[in-house]
Short mmCIF file of all heavy atoms in Angstrom, two decimals:
data_model
loop_
_atom_site.label_atom_id
_atom_site.label_comp_id
_atom_site.label_asym_id
_atom_site.label_seq_id
_atom_site.Cartn_x
_atom_site.Cartn_y
_atom_site.Cartn_z
N GLU A 1 102.84 145.31 -25.89
CA GLU A 1 102.69 146.78 -25.59
C GLU A 1 103.28 147.66 -26.74
O GLU A 1 102.76 148.74 -27.03
CB GLU A 1 103.41 147.09 -24.28
CG GLU A 1 102.78 146.45 -23.04
CD GLU A 1 103.53 146.76 -21.77
OE1 GLU A 1 104.42 147.68 -21.79
OE2 GLU A 1 103.14 146.31 -20.67
N VAL A 2 104.36 147.20 -27.32
CA VAL A 2 104.99 147.96 -28.38
C VAL A 2 104.54 147.53 -29.75
O VAL A 2 104.10 148.35 -30.59
CB VAL A 2 106.55 147.91 -28.26
CG1 VAL A 2 107.26 148.64 -29.44
CG2 VAL A 2 106.93 148.41 -26.91
N LEU A 3 104.68 146.24 -30.05
CA LEU A 3 104.22 145.72 -31.35
C LEU A 3 102.71 145.61 -31.49
O LEU A 3 102.18 145.44 -32.55
CB LEU A 3 104.87 144.38 -31.67
CG LEU A 3 106.35 144.24 -31.63
CD1 LEU A 3 106.83 142.99 -31.92
CD2 LEU A 3 106.97 145.37 -32.57
N LYS A 4 102.04 145.71 -30.40
CA LYS A 4 100.52 145.65 -30.32
C LYS A 4 100.00 144.36 -31.00
O LYS A 4 98.94 144.41 -31.69
CB LYS A 4 99.90 146.90 -31.07
CG LYS A 4 100.32 148.20 -30.50
CD LYS A 4 99.96 148.43 -29.05
CE LYS A 4 100.33 149.84 -28.61
NZ LYS A 4 100.02 150.02 -27.18
N LEU A 5 100.62 143.23 -30.76
CA LEU A 5 100.12 141.93 -31.21
C LEU A 5 99.08 141.42 -30.37
O LEU A 5 99.19 141.39 -29.12
CB LEU A 5 101.31 140.93 -31.33
CG LEU A 5 102.56 141.37 -32.21
CD1 LEU A 5 103.59 140.30 -32.16
CD2 LEU A 5 101.98 141.61 -33.61
N GLU A 6 97.90 141.11 -30.90
CA GLU A 6 96.81 140.67 -30.18
C GLU A 6 96.90 139.22 -29.68
O GLU A 6 97.74 138.43 -30.26
CB GLU A 6 95.41 140.86 -30.96
CG GLU A 6 95.39 140.15 -32.19
CD GLU A 6 96.07 140.94 -33.35
OE1 GLU A 6 96.61 141.94 -33.11
OE2 GLU A 6 95.94 140.40 -34.52
N ALA A 7 96.07 138.80 -28.77
CA ALA A 7 96.16 137.38 -28.20
C ALA A 7 95.91 136.44 -29.27
O ALA A 7 96.52 135.32 -29.27
CB ALA A 7 95.11 137.32 -27.03
N SER A 8 94.94 136.70 -30.27
CA SER A 8 94.68 135.67 -31.17
C SER A 8 95.91 135.41 -32.08
O SER A 8 96.24 134.23 -32.48
CB SER A 8 93.39 136.06 -32.00
OG SER A 8 93.75 137.32 -32.64
N PHE A 9 96.63 136.46 -32.43
CA PHE A 9 97.87 136.16 -33.28
C PHE A 9 98.88 135.54 -32.51
O PHE A 9 99.59 134.57 -33.06
CB PHE A 9 98.34 137.58 -33.71
CG PHE A 9 99.69 137.41 -34.39
CD1 PHE A 9 99.73 136.96 -35.71
CD2 PHE A 9 100.96 137.71 -33.82
CE1 PHE A 9 100.94 136.80 -36.44
CE2 PHE A 9 102.05 137.61 -34.43
CZ PHE A 9 102.15 137.07 -35.72
N LEU A 10 99.19 135.85 -31.20
CA LEU A 10 100.18 135.11 -30.36
C LEU A 10 99.89 133.68 -30.26
O LEU A 10 100.73 132.83 -30.28
CB LEU A 10 100.30 135.73 -29.10
CG LEU A 10 100.89 137.27 -29.02
CD1 LEU A 10 100.96 137.82 -27.62
CD2 LEU A 10 102.28 137.23 -29.66
N GLY A 11 98.46 133.39 -30.15
CA GLY A 11 98.07 131.99 -30.20
C GLY A 11 98.48 131.29 -31.52
O GLY A 11 98.88 130.16 -31.50
N THR A 12 98.24 132.00 -32.64
CA THR A 12 98.70 131.51 -33.99
C THR A 12 100.17 131.28 -33.99
O THR A 12 100.64 130.30 -34.59
CB THR A 12 98.22 132.42 -35.09
OG1 THR A 12 96.83 132.69 -34.97
CG2 THR A 12 98.58 131.88 -36.45
N ALA A 13 100.91 132.21 -33.43
CA ALA A 13 102.37 132.07 -33.38
C ALA A 13 102.79 130.81 -32.61
O ALA A 13 103.72 130.09 -32.98
CB ALA A 13 103.02 133.30 -32.71
N ARG A 14 102.01 130.47 -31.54
CA ARG A 14 102.35 129.27 -30.80
C ARG A 14 101.97 128.05 -31.66
O ARG A 14 102.70 126.99 -31.54
CB ARG A 14 101.55 129.26 -29.42
CG ARG A 14 102.11 130.20 -28.44
CD ARG A 14 103.52 130.05 -28.05
NE ARG A 14 103.71 128.68 -27.68
CZ ARG A 14 104.80 127.98 -27.82
NH1 ARG A 14 105.79 128.49 -28.55
NH2 ARG A 14 104.93 126.72 -27.40
N VAL A 15 100.97 128.18 -32.43
CA VAL A 15 100.65 127.01 -33.33
C VAL A 15 101.81 126.75 -34.28
O VAL A 15 102.21 125.54 -34.48
CB VAL A 15 99.40 127.35 -34.17
CG1 VAL A 15 99.13 126.24 -35.28
CG2 VAL A 15 98.15 127.39 -33.21
N VAL A 16 102.33 127.76 -34.88
CA VAL A 16 103.52 127.62 -35.71
C VAL A 16 104.68 127.05 -34.97
O VAL A 16 105.45 126.26 -35.56
CB VAL A 16 103.86 128.97 -36.35
CG1 VAL A 16 105.17 128.81 -37.23
CG2 VAL A 16 102.79 129.54 -37.25
N GLY A 17 104.87 127.51 -33.69
CA GLY A 17 105.91 126.95 -32.81
C GLY A 17 105.72 125.45 -32.53
O GLY A 17 106.67 124.70 -32.69
N TRP A 18 104.54 125.02 -32.28
CA TRP A 18 104.29 123.61 -32.06
C TRP A 18 104.39 122.85 -33.39
O TRP A 18 104.89 121.65 -33.42
CB TRP A 18 102.90 123.35 -31.55
CG TRP A 18 102.74 123.69 -30.12
CD1 TRP A 18 102.11 124.75 -29.49
CD2 TRP A 18 103.27 122.89 -29.01
NE1 TRP A 18 102.22 124.70 -28.17
CE2 TRP A 18 102.91 123.56 -27.79
CE3 TRP A 18 103.95 121.70 -28.95
CZ2 TRP A 18 103.22 123.08 -26.58
CZ3 TRP A 18 104.31 121.12 -27.67
CH2 TRP A 18 103.98 121.84 -26.57
N SER A 19 104.15 123.46 -34.47
CA SER A 19 104.37 122.81 -35.81
C SER A 19 105.84 122.59 -35.98
O SER A 19 106.27 121.59 -36.47
CB SER A 19 103.80 123.66 -36.92
OG SER A 19 102.35 123.80 -36.75
N GLY A 20 106.62 123.61 -35.57
CA GLY A 20 108.05 123.55 -35.69
C GLY A 20 108.59 122.38 -34.72
O GLY A 20 109.47 121.60 -35.15
N LEU A 21 107.92 122.13 -33.64
CA LEU A 21 108.37 121.10 -32.77
C LEU A 21 108.05 119.69 -33.34
O LEU A 21 108.78 118.88 -33.35
CB LEU A 21 107.55 121.21 -31.47
CG LEU A 21 107.94 120.20 -30.27
CD1 LEU A 21 107.68 120.91 -28.94
CD2 LEU A 21 107.11 118.98 -30.35
N MET A 22 106.89 119.50 -34.08
CA MET A 22 106.58 118.35 -34.71
C MET A 22 107.55 118.07 -35.90
O MET A 22 107.98 116.91 -36.11
CB MET A 22 105.08 118.41 -35.25
CG MET A 22 104.10 118.44 -34.15
SD MET A 22 102.39 118.45 -34.79
CE MET A 22 102.32 116.73 -35.37
N VAL A 23 107.83 119.09 -36.62
CA VAL A 23 108.87 118.96 -37.73
C VAL A 23 110.13 118.55 -37.26
O VAL A 23 110.92 117.71 -37.78
CB VAL A 23 108.90 120.29 -38.59
CG1 VAL A 23 110.07 120.11 -39.56
CG2 VAL A 23 107.56 120.52 -39.26
N GLY A 24 110.57 119.22 -36.11
CA GLY A 24 111.76 118.90 -35.44
C GLY A 24 111.86 117.50 -34.97
O GLY A 24 112.91 116.73 -35.18
N THR A 25 110.79 116.91 -34.43
CA THR A 25 110.66 115.57 -33.97
C THR A 25 110.84 114.61 -35.19
O THR A 25 111.65 113.60 -35.08
CB THR A 25 109.34 115.25 -33.33
OG1 THR A 25 109.20 116.16 -32.16
CG2 THR A 25 109.24 113.85 -32.81
N PHE A 26 110.12 114.91 -36.29
CA PHE A 26 110.23 114.12 -37.45
C PHE A 26 111.61 114.09 -38.05
O PHE A 26 112.17 112.96 -38.38
CB PHE A 26 109.19 114.55 -38.49
CG PHE A 26 109.32 113.87 -39.80
CD1 PHE A 26 108.77 112.66 -39.99
CD2 PHE A 26 109.90 114.40 -40.93
CE1 PHE A 26 108.86 111.97 -41.19
CE2 PHE A 26 110.07 113.74 -42.14
CZ PHE A 26 109.52 112.53 -42.29
N ILE A 27 112.21 115.22 -38.17
CA ILE A 27 113.52 115.38 -38.81
C ILE A 27 114.54 114.61 -37.98
O ILE A 27 115.40 113.87 -38.48
CB ILE A 27 113.92 116.77 -39.03
CG1 ILE A 27 113.11 117.50 -40.03
CG2 ILE A 27 115.47 116.87 -39.40
CD1 ILE A 27 113.38 118.94 -40.15
N TYR A 28 114.47 114.71 -36.65
CA TYR A 28 115.42 114.06 -35.80
C TYR A 28 115.30 112.49 -35.95
O TYR A 28 116.22 111.77 -36.09
CB TYR A 28 115.22 114.53 -34.31
CG TYR A 28 116.05 113.55 -33.40
CD1 TYR A 28 117.36 113.80 -33.23
CD2 TYR A 28 115.44 112.47 -32.74
CE1 TYR A 28 118.20 112.97 -32.48
CE2 TYR A 28 116.18 111.60 -31.91
CZ TYR A 28 117.58 111.82 -31.77
OH TYR A 28 118.31 111.06 -31.04
N ASN A 29 114.02 112.03 -35.79
CA ASN A 29 113.80 110.63 -35.87
C ASN A 29 114.12 109.97 -37.20
O ASN A 29 114.46 108.85 -37.26
CB ASN A 29 112.36 110.32 -35.43
CG ASN A 29 112.12 108.90 -34.94
OD1 ASN A 29 112.92 108.46 -34.07
ND2 ASN A 29 111.16 108.26 -35.35
N ARG A 30 114.05 110.81 -38.24
CA ARG A 30 114.29 110.23 -39.58
C ARG A 30 115.71 110.43 -40.00
O ARG A 30 116.28 109.58 -40.68
CB ARG A 30 113.43 111.04 -40.55
CG ARG A 30 113.29 110.44 -41.93
CD ARG A 30 112.63 109.13 -41.96
NE ARG A 30 112.57 108.61 -43.36
CZ ARG A 30 111.62 108.78 -44.24
NH1 ARG A 30 110.57 109.54 -43.86
NH2 ARG A 30 111.54 108.26 -45.46
N HIS A 31 116.37 111.53 -39.60
CA HIS A 31 117.69 111.84 -40.24
C HIS A 31 118.76 111.97 -39.18
O HIS A 31 120.00 111.86 -39.56
CB HIS A 31 117.59 113.06 -41.08
CG HIS A 31 116.58 112.90 -42.22
ND1 HIS A 31 116.82 112.14 -43.31
CD2 HIS A 31 115.31 113.49 -42.36
CE1 HIS A 31 115.78 112.20 -44.11
NE2 HIS A 31 114.82 113.04 -43.51
N LEU A 32 118.53 112.43 -37.96
CA LEU A 32 119.54 112.87 -37.09
C LEU A 32 119.86 111.92 -35.86
O LEU A 32 120.74 112.27 -35.13
CB LEU A 32 119.21 114.32 -36.50
CG LEU A 32 118.94 115.40 -37.56
CD1 LEU A 32 118.67 116.71 -36.83
CD2 LEU A 32 120.19 115.57 -38.42
N LYS A 33 119.12 110.97 -35.78
CA LYS A 33 119.32 110.05 -34.56
C LYS A 33 120.60 109.32 -34.41
O LYS A 33 121.02 108.92 -33.31
CB LYS A 33 118.10 109.09 -34.36
CG LYS A 33 117.95 108.07 -35.54
CD LYS A 33 116.74 107.27 -35.30
CE LYS A 33 116.57 106.32 -36.51
NZ LYS A 33 115.34 105.48 -36.32
N TYR A 34 121.38 109.29 -35.54
CA TYR A 34 122.66 108.67 -35.49
C TYR A 34 123.80 109.72 -35.39
O TYR A 34 124.99 109.37 -35.27
CB TYR A 34 122.89 107.77 -36.68
CG TYR A 34 121.93 106.62 -36.70
CD1 TYR A 34 120.84 106.53 -37.59
CD2 TYR A 34 122.10 105.44 -35.82
CE1 TYR A 34 120.06 105.41 -37.58
CE2 TYR A 34 121.37 104.40 -35.85
CZ TYR A 34 120.29 104.37 -36.79
OH TYR A 34 119.46 103.30 -36.75
N MET A 35 123.41 111.01 -35.44
CA MET A 35 124.43 111.99 -35.34
C MET A 35 124.90 112.18 -33.91
O MET A 35 124.09 112.00 -33.00
CB MET A 35 123.79 113.35 -35.90
CG MET A 35 124.81 114.53 -35.92
SD MET A 35 124.10 116.10 -36.50
CE MET A 35 123.72 115.58 -38.20
N THR A 36 126.16 112.53 -33.69
CA THR A 36 126.59 112.62 -32.34
C THR A 36 125.93 113.82 -31.66
O THR A 36 125.52 114.84 -32.27
CB THR A 36 128.12 112.91 -32.34
OG1 THR A 36 128.46 114.10 -33.01
CG2 THR A 36 128.90 111.69 -32.97
N LEU A 37 125.79 113.75 -30.30
CA LEU A 37 125.13 114.82 -29.58
C LEU A 37 125.93 116.11 -29.60
O LEU A 37 125.33 117.14 -29.69
CB LEU A 37 125.06 114.32 -28.08
CG LEU A 37 123.97 113.33 -27.80
CD1 LEU A 37 123.93 113.02 -26.18
CD2 LEU A 37 122.58 113.86 -28.16
N ARG A 38 127.21 116.00 -29.66
CA ARG A 38 128.04 117.26 -29.71
C ARG A 38 127.67 118.06 -30.98
O ARG A 38 127.48 119.30 -30.88
CB ARG A 38 129.49 116.94 -29.78
CG ARG A 38 130.03 116.50 -28.42
CD ARG A 38 131.63 116.35 -28.55
NE ARG A 38 132.19 115.86 -27.21
CZ ARG A 38 133.46 115.82 -26.99
NH1 ARG A 38 134.32 116.15 -27.96
NH2 ARG A 38 133.93 115.37 -25.77
N ARG A 39 127.51 117.35 -32.00
CA ARG A 39 127.22 118.13 -33.33
C ARG A 39 125.85 118.69 -33.32
O ARG A 39 125.61 119.84 -33.66
CB ARG A 39 127.46 117.18 -34.51
CG ARG A 39 127.23 117.83 -35.89
CD ARG A 39 127.60 116.89 -37.04
NE ARG A 39 128.98 116.62 -37.00
CZ ARG A 39 129.61 115.91 -37.97
NH1 ARG A 39 128.82 115.40 -38.92
NH2 ARG A 39 130.80 115.69 -38.03
N ILE A 40 124.86 117.86 -32.79
CA ILE A 40 123.52 118.32 -32.74
C ILE A 40 123.39 119.62 -31.83
O ILE A 40 122.79 120.59 -32.16
CB ILE A 40 122.58 117.21 -32.26
CG1 ILE A 40 122.50 116.11 -33.16
CG2 ILE A 40 121.12 117.73 -31.96
CD1 ILE A 40 121.71 114.91 -32.74
N LEU A 41 124.02 119.47 -30.63
CA LEU A 41 123.86 120.61 -29.75
C LEU A 41 124.62 121.84 -30.20
O LEU A 41 124.22 122.97 -29.96
CB LEU A 41 124.41 120.15 -28.38
CG LEU A 41 123.69 119.01 -27.69
CD1 LEU A 41 124.36 118.56 -26.41
CD2 LEU A 41 122.27 119.42 -27.35
#
């Protein structure tokens, strides 16, 4: 309503978000899986 972002762009933003999820999965599985939960959280 205020920023006037159209549906197609918000869909693109979700694509970037899912890409971030994939990158987060890769980084965790490759580098962070031995780090303590306290530090990660």
Side-chain angles (χ1 to χ4, degrees):
E1 294 184 7
V2 177
L3 302 183
K4 304 297 182 182
L5 300 179
E6 58 276 7
S8 58
F9 173 77
L10 292 179
T12 303
R14 289 301 304 143
V15 170
V16 175
W18 282 106
S19 300
L21 187 149
M22 294 183 70
V23 172
T25 301
F26 174 79
I27 293 176
Y28 170 80
N29 202 45
R30 188 70 178 269
H31 302 289
L32 303 180
K33 59 186 177 182
Y34 295 105
M35 184 181 293
T36 61
L37 284 180
R38 286 189 181 185
R39 180 172 297 182
I40 293 176
L41 296 173

